[in-house]
């Protein structure tokens, strides 16, 4: 049976969730999105995601008629229509004279247990996002950086700005732990992840002080450990960067942060 | 009667020229395009456009099975199917595991005669393109810059890099004339327009020397005149930048460049 999707508040077949290639705002990537999780029919951190969606729209001056309540109701209609238990969900709003709302879903994204026990490998990619605080479809750099990482056998690419700050991954936030301090980029330099909020809260709960100062390409190996986080990943320790092994001293602590963060879903 | 379009080499109805919002490469703006003109059923500078399309694909590592001949044949099928005389045409190739080719068209884009006789107004926008030499769908910055220009009553936004170089417009190339010299950004810093090639050739034909040194935000008023060019615009003189009147001394020369460039179509 074909999956359903939402188009402008209406339940449609997934094959109808399409965009005309003649629509200028599609051609210009003038759109914003959110990636959420549904667990046991419950939408995780929905209000936070809707808040960030509104923030992304404001950041690029995208106006649309879709209220939070309408999006919420649409999501619930979709969950009911297809009897969704666990899933990864994507909300997309395309701007312009005829704004469009789409909600689609896939099987719940999850990763092998070994990614958490053995850590994941990352590459460094030099590049700066346009409007880093907004979650838009202007993702070509992230796509290219991630493809390069995959070709090198890595799981994620970390973006390094012109000053050498390692700010974030292509689809994750990035952190270093040193002693009882957690180092990460300040909010305005990165996409402020929903999971990042929980990770910082978890770190504080576990007695860490948060320093809004990102690691650099020069001091990565000086941290006790490094990790990344995202909605689908939780918190994952970094094993190697550009082939070089990173310290593992704080991996047990990263495990605790991950556990705590997942408890709040 | 509904217009036709090309999808993967086949003539379809324009309403079938759509992209699934679930297709990852659409979500990540992993696509390239070309904007061409058809005049009296003849495709203008087709080989140059196909060459640049291939260059854009190579720049972002986008592989696809659509040969130049296949694209050319498709375009001719479309022209025949709808009996197209004059039109603006868009070729779009989306990458990924299931690459897609679309060709769509609109009425020929053209501008009032007054844009050439009175010049057009521009604004300055501080921002740098990712992979400037490739014509990709990663266009959010250009969209935002142009919307801002329109709100201020201007026709185009010029992109200024961190060094103050005024490199190009959101959909045009940019030039300054001073004495018998034409100043413009070097090829590798901008999208090398098909019309730009003709403009530079026309300038040389008219006795100008081309200097690959872009104007800056500090010396704009020191040129005899400034102008922009694009496939749909030809060459258009700049009247004001951020509300400040620019010199008009070389406007007759810009008119000659435009005339010569159009003769080569």
């Amino acid at each position: 049976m074909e999956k359903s999707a939402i188009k402008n508040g209406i339940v449609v077949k997934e094959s109808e969730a399409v965009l005309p290639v003649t629509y200028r705002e599609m051609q210009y990537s003038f759109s914003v999105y959110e990636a959420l999780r549904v667990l046991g029919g419950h939408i995780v951190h929905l209000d936070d995601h809707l808040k960030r969606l509104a923030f992304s729209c404001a950041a690029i001056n995208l106006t649309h008629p879709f209220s939070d309540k309408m999006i919420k109701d649409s999501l619930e209609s979709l969950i009911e229509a297809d009897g969704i238990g666990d899933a990864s969900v994507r909300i997309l709003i395309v701007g312009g004279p005829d704004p469009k709302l789409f909600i689609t879903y896939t099987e719940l994204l999850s990763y092998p247990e070994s990614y958490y026990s053995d850590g994941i490998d990352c590459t460094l990619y030099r590049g700066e996002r346009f409007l880093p605080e907004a979650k838009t479809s202007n993702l070509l750099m992230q796509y290219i950086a991630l493809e390069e990482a995959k070709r090198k056998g890595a799981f994620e690419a970390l973006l390094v700005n012109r000053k050498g700050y390692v700010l974030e991954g292509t689809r994750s936030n990035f952190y270093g732990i040193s002693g009882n301090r957690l180092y990460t980029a300040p909010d305005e330099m990165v996409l402020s992840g929903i999971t990042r909020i929980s990770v910082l809260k978890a770190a504080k709960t576990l007695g860490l002080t948060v320093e809004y100062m990102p690691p650099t390409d020069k001091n990565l190996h000086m941290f006790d450990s490094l990790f990344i986080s995202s909605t689908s990943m939780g918190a994952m320790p970094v094993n190697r960067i550009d082939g070089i092994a990173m310290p593992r001293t704080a991996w047990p602590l990263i495990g605790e942060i991950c556990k705590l963060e997942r408890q709040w879903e």
Side-chain angles (χ1 to χ4, degrees), chain A:
Chain A
M1 203 194 69
E2 193 184 333
K3 282 197 291 183
S4 303
I6 295 290
K7 185 176 177 182
N8 300 341
I10 310 293
V11 178
V12 298
K13 287 180 191 160
E14 195 188 76
S15 56
E16 293 171 45
V18 294
L19 270 170
V21 302
T22 48
Y23 191 59
R24 180 166 172 261
E25 280 66 25
M26 197 232 81
Q27 297 171 348
Y28 277 78
S29 303
F30 188 61
S31 56
V32 298
Y33 73 102
E34 283 294 318
L36 306 82
R37 311 211 304 165
V38 175
L39 296 176
H42 163 73
I43 311 159
V44 178
H45 297 318
L46 177 59
D47 290 340
D48 291 337
H49 283 284
L50 290 176
K51 208 170 134 187
R52 188 171 64 182
L53 192 65
F55 182 84
S56 296
C57 287
I60 65 170
N61 251 314
L62 189 163
T63 54
H64 64 80
F66 313 115
S67 68
D68 281 3
K69 186 178 179 313
M70 192 259 213
I71 297 174
K72 208 168 185 161
D73 290 349
S74 298
L75 240 169
E76 275 160 12
S77 305
L78 180 63
I79 290 170
E80 205 187 309
D82 284 15
I84 298 173
D86 296 349
S88 289
V89 168
R90 196 172 200 270
I91 303 174
L92 172 70
I93 296 181
V94 187
D98 180 20
K100 298 164 205 292
L101 162 72
F102 294 97
I103 308 177
T104 52
Y105 72 96
T106 59
E107 212 176 306
L108 187 68
L109 260 178
S110 68
Y111 301 95
E113 193 42 46
S114 64
Y115 285 32
Y116 301 89
S117 56
D118 304 343
I120 49 90
D121 293 351
C122 297
T123 53
L124 296 182
Y125 187 92
R126 281 167 209 278
E128 298 183 7
R129 296 178 55 211
F130 174 62
L131 301 179
E133 72 281 15
K135 203 167 172 78
T136 75
S137 301
N138 203 58
L139 294 169
L140 182 62
M141 185 178 77
Q142 284 92 318
Y143 187 93
I144 289 175
L146 185 55
E147 290 301 306
E148 187 192 274
K150 286 179 188 168
R151 276 197 301 275
K152 293 178 177 172
F155 172 75
E156 175 66 303
L158 303 171
L159 304 174
V160 186
N161 79 358
R162 72 191 73 158
K163 292 182 174 164
Y165 289 129
V166 185
L167 294 176
E168 58 188 328
T170 66
R171 58 207 154 124
S172 61
N173 285 112
F174 179 62
Y175 317 80
I177 295 176
S178 180
N180 64 348
R181 288 170 196 277
L182 181 86
Y183 292 80
T184 192
D187 286 346
E188 66 276 13
M189 292 178 84
V190 296
L191 187 74
S192 185
I194 305 298
T195 299
R196 176 174 142 109
I197 298 167
S198 299
V199 161
L200 297 183
K201 197 174 135 193
K204 284 174 198 162
T205 304
L206 293 165
L208 293 171
T209 305
V210 177
E211 300 280 350
Y212 289 98
M213 170 68 74
T216 75
D217 53 357
K218 298 280 182 290
N219 68 16
L220 290 169
H221 62 283
M222 298 176 67
F223 288 86
D224 297 340
S225 292
L226 303 162
F227 69 100
I228 59 175
S229 78
S230 84
T231 293
S232 62
M233 299 167 197
M236 272 184 194
V238 173
N239 180 35
R240 285 183 294 192
I241 292 183
D242 278 347
I244 300 166
M246 294 292 130
R248 297 173 170 230
T249 320
W251 280 24
L253 189 51
I254 296 167
E256 285 181 63
I257 291 171
C258 189
K259 216 164 99 186
L260 207 50
E261 185 275 316
R262 286 301 199 204
Q263 276 175 23
W264 293 327
E265 290 197 333

